Amino acid sequence: MKPMPITEADLQGYVDGLLPEERLEEVTAYLENNPEEAERLRTYRHQNQALHLLFDPVLDEPVPTRLSARPSSNWELLRRYAAIFIVAVFAGAGGWYLHGAAQSSSVTWIASAAGSVTRVDAPLMMARRAAVAHAVYTPDPRRPVEVGADQEEALVRWLSKRIGADVRAPKLAPLGYELIGGRLLPGQSGPVAQFMYHDGAGQRLTLYVSTDQVQNKDTGFRFAQEGTVNVFYWIDGKFGYALSGSIDRGELARIANTVYEQLDKPAK
């Protein structure tokens, strides 16, 4: 009997762990002969893991009274379902956001499952995007970056050209962290850069560099936490920076201060 062709539904079922054993064996064999597809699915799994890492803690929060109360009308029920759908879609894109008409003031609007809308400043959304990007790419043992540290000069030139501004990779070796490399990521209104570092124990840090925040004034260090990922972020001139890592807050602050001092100095 001719085997059934492997479909995209099979591949997505493989990522989600929903395939029956017989089909699982067939898909596994298919992926062994198709390394590009295997790499694509590995990326999807990392994204799933990252989203669970960041947003599963919300499951332990108490249910809002507005959600536990019986909807007063079918329209109210539809409104809530629509809000939940919006949250799900934008969470998968790297953050829960709706970009409102007040873009000129760098305001972002968050839709909650309860149907309410909350105003959040753009630098905080940058920090959340950075945390998601950190959680997606740092677990990858094979391809955590697009360009490795052995091509650092080419990496910096490439990222600078794509972002439209000169970026630099801070030197963190005195603090025990070596550059792994970097990659280009989509930002809110254009490309952003991500540099990745690791220490001798394999602990990884990422520095997210964005020019999305040009309408914001300079800020001092701010702290955010998304799941197990700690983030220190700040705005300096036309750049927004976010340093992310699943390490002690105090240690991350010390490294962030070093990054700030290096990037605040003119390039040699």
Side-chain angles (χ1 to χ4, degrees):
M1 182 178 178
K2 186 176 180 180
M4 293 178 60
I6 302 298
T7 66
E8 183 64 22
D10 291 322
L11 297 178
Q12 294 300 326
Y14 175 86
V15 171
D16 296 331
L18 300 177
L19 292 179
E21 186 174 348
E22 180 180 345
R23 196 56 171 165
L24 176 61
E25 293 177 355
E26 295 173 352
V27 172
T28 300
Y30 168 81
L31 293 175
E32 289 176 353
N33 296 319
N34 294 271
E36 291 186 0
E37 284 287 77
E39 184 65 29
R40 178 170 72 95
L41 297 194
R42 191 157 34 244
T43 299
Y44 290 165
R45 278 190 164 175
H46 288 159
Q47 290 173 346
N48 286 347
Q49 292 167 0
L51 291 172
H52 280 294
L53 177 68
L54 294 179
F55 300 120
D56 277 0
V58 176
L59 298 176
D60 296 326
E61 296 178 0
V63 177
T65 304
R66 287 173 296 180
L67 282 180
S68 59
R70 183 176 180 179
S72 57
S73 66
N74 290 336
W75 169 249
E76 177 67 13
L77 182 62
L78 289 173
R79 184 179 68 85
R80 292 182 184 179
Y81 283 156
I84 293 171
F85 174 76
I86 291 170
V87 168
V89 170
F90 282 92
W96 298 354
Y97 67 92
L98 287 176
H99 198 243
Q103 184 174 4
S104 61
S105 61
S106 297
V107 170
T108 300
W109 301 90
I110 309 296
S112 75
S116 61
V117 178
T118 304
R119 175 171 157 164
V120 177
D121 63 74
L124 177 57
M125 288 306 300
M126 176 191 70
R128 289 179 173 173
R129 286 175 173 269
V132 171
H134 175 91
V136 167
Y137 292 109
T138 55
D140 195 327
R142 297 180 57 189
R143 294 184 60 185
V145 297
E146 287 182 279
V147 181
D150 57 333
Q151 303 177 61
E152 181 177 347
E153 290 186 7
L155 168 66
V156 170
R157 286 197 304 269
W158 173 56
L159 292 176
S160 297
K161 181 178 180 180
R162 293 300 306 274
I163 290 177
D166 291 335
V167 300
R168 286 183 283 162
K171 308 299 182 183
L172 303 182
L175 301 179
Y177 286 87
E178 298 285 349
L179 181 69
I180 300 174
R183 66 170 60 245
L184 195 70
L185 298 171
Q188 184 172 344
S189 60
V192 301
Q194 183 194 65
F195 292 106
M196 189 179 298
Y197 298 80
H198 65 170
D199 65 8
Q203 179 66 52
R204 291 175 171 177
L205 302 177
T206 55
L207 177 65
Y208 186 95
V209 185
S210 169
T211 56
D212 283 345
Q213 323 304 319
V214 293
Q215 295 163 333
N216 289 271
K217 296 181 179 179
D218 293 4
T219 68
F221 285 143
R222 296 181 182 176
F223 177 76
Q225 187 176 36
E226 293 288 333
T228 62
V229 180
N230 290 332
V231 185
F232 276 98
Y233 62 103
W234 66 98
I235 306 299
D236 187 9
K238 59 183 166 183
F239 291 106
Y241 298 102
L243 184 70
S244 305
S246 296
I247 63 173
D248 176 75
R249 176 174 176 173
E251 177 66 9
L252 188 65
R254 184 173 73 91
I255 299 171
N257 187 64
T258 297
V259 171
Y260 174 80
E261 290 177 349
Q262 290 190 25
L263 296 176
D264 193 47
K265 296 177 182 177
K268 295 182 179 179

